[in-house]
């Protein structure tokens, strides 16, 4: 999951630049597919491989907007949906897609800035979650070393085991609640 998230994050960082190259190629007179080919030629990984898949799907007869929507699902990125809509509009009605792409790029960059700001502002909450979740474990281990006879009753008696189970459930629930609070979707 971490590797997939890293690839998706790197793609999201590269995507606005790729869209700018797409807009420039459209201004130069390329068709949408030709402009997408220019983007593939100039992109770095992972954007190159993913956009090459879109281009390959198009060559196999899949509509460009459908191929881009598949990319949006693979990358779990809602911003790509805007490009799929633009591809569909370009195919059906024509128009100046380069100007619209410039607006989409500005929107994506602003949303990315907001995501970074939210991530920075919630860093303290995420750290508090890990500290508050691990604190009972370390405290139990410390008390086991300092007073093993007192702590042994927690593990050997029925009441102690129930208390440990309740404490573990409460710590896990608290961790989940803190995660829900600091996990803001932008």
């Amino acid at each position: 999951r971490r590797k997939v998230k890293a690839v998706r994050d790197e793609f999201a960082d590269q995507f606005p630049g790729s869209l700018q190259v797409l807009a420039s190629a459209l201004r130069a007179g390329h068709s949408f597919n030709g402009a997408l080919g220019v983007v593939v030629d100039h992109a770095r990984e992972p954007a190159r491989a993913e956009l090459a898949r879109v281009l390959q799907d198009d060559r196999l007869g899949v509509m460009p907007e459908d191929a881009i929507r598949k990319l949006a699902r693979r990358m779990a990125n809602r911003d790509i949906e805007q490009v799929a809509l633009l591809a569909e509009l370009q195919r059906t009605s024509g128009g100046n897609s380069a100007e619209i792409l410039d607006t989409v790029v500005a929107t994506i960059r602003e949303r990315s800035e907001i995501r970074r700001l939210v991530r920075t502002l919630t860093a303290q909450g995420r750290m508090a979650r890990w500290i508050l979740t691990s604190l009972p474990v370390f405290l139990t281990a410390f008390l086991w070393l300092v007073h093993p006879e007192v702590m042994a009753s927690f593990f050997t008696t029925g009441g102690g085991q129930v208390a440990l189970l309740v404490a573990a459930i409460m710590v896990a629930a608290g961790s989940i609640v803190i995660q829900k609070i600091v996990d803001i979707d932008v």
Side-chain angles (χ1 to χ4, degrees):
R1 283 188 288 181
R2 285 185 189 151
K3 287 182 181 180
V4 169
K5 184 175 179 349
V7 168
R8 287 177 174 169
D9 289 345
E10 190 173 351
F11 180 85
D13 288 341
Q14 293 174 354
F15 193 60
S18 297
L19 287 182
Q20 281 189 317
V21 172
L22 183 67
S24 297
L26 287 171
R27 276 191 203 94
H30 290 281
S31 67
F32 188 82
N33 294 337
L36 197 56
V38 171
V39 173
V40 169
D41 292 341
H42 292 91
R44 294 176 300 152
E45 292 298 331
R48 174 182 292 210
E50 291 300 328
L51 294 172
R53 277 179 81 175
V54 170
L55 206 53
Q56 184 179 13
D57 284 349
D58 181 60
R59 288 179 186 148
L60 292 174
V62 177
M63 296 296 235
E65 59 270 14
D66 293 336
I68 294 172
R69 284 190 179 101
K70 283 186 198 176
L71 171 65
R73 283 191 298 274
R74 277 194 311 270
M75 291 293 119
N77 190 328
R78 294 183 312 195
D79 296 332
I80 301 172
E81 286 289 332
Q82 295 176 355
V83 179
L85 181 61
L86 177 68
E88 186 174 3
L89 287 172
Q90 173 70 19
R91 183 181 56 81
T92 58
S93 63
N96 192 350
S97 299
E99 288 180 18
I100 298 171
L101 268 176
D102 289 336
T103 305
V104 169
V105 168
T107 303
I108 291 171
R109 287 205 167 129
E110 288 173 8
R111 186 180 287 175
S112 178
E113 285 296 320
I114 291 171
R115 276 191 203 109
R116 281 191 212 105
L117 179 63
V118 167
R119 185 133 177 92
T120 301
L121 294 175
T122 59
Q124 182 179 0
R126 288 192 311 275
M127 183 61 73
R129 172 185 175 220
W130 291 112
I131 290 171
L132 292 175
T133 302
S134 61
L135 187 64
V137 174
F138 288 117
L139 187 59
T140 302
F142 175 75
L143 288 175
W144 184 270
L145 291 173
V146 175
H147 297 290
E149 64 281 348
V150 174
M151 292 303 292
S153 63
F154 274 111
F155 295 100
T156 57
T157 63
Q161 290 172 349
V162 168
L164 283 176
L165 180 65
V166 168
I169 290 171
M170 289 174 63
V171 167
S175 179
I176 291 169
V177 167
I178 293 172
Q179 180 184 12
K180 296 283 185 192
I181 290 171
V182 298
D183 191 19
I184 299 171
D185 188 29
V186 178

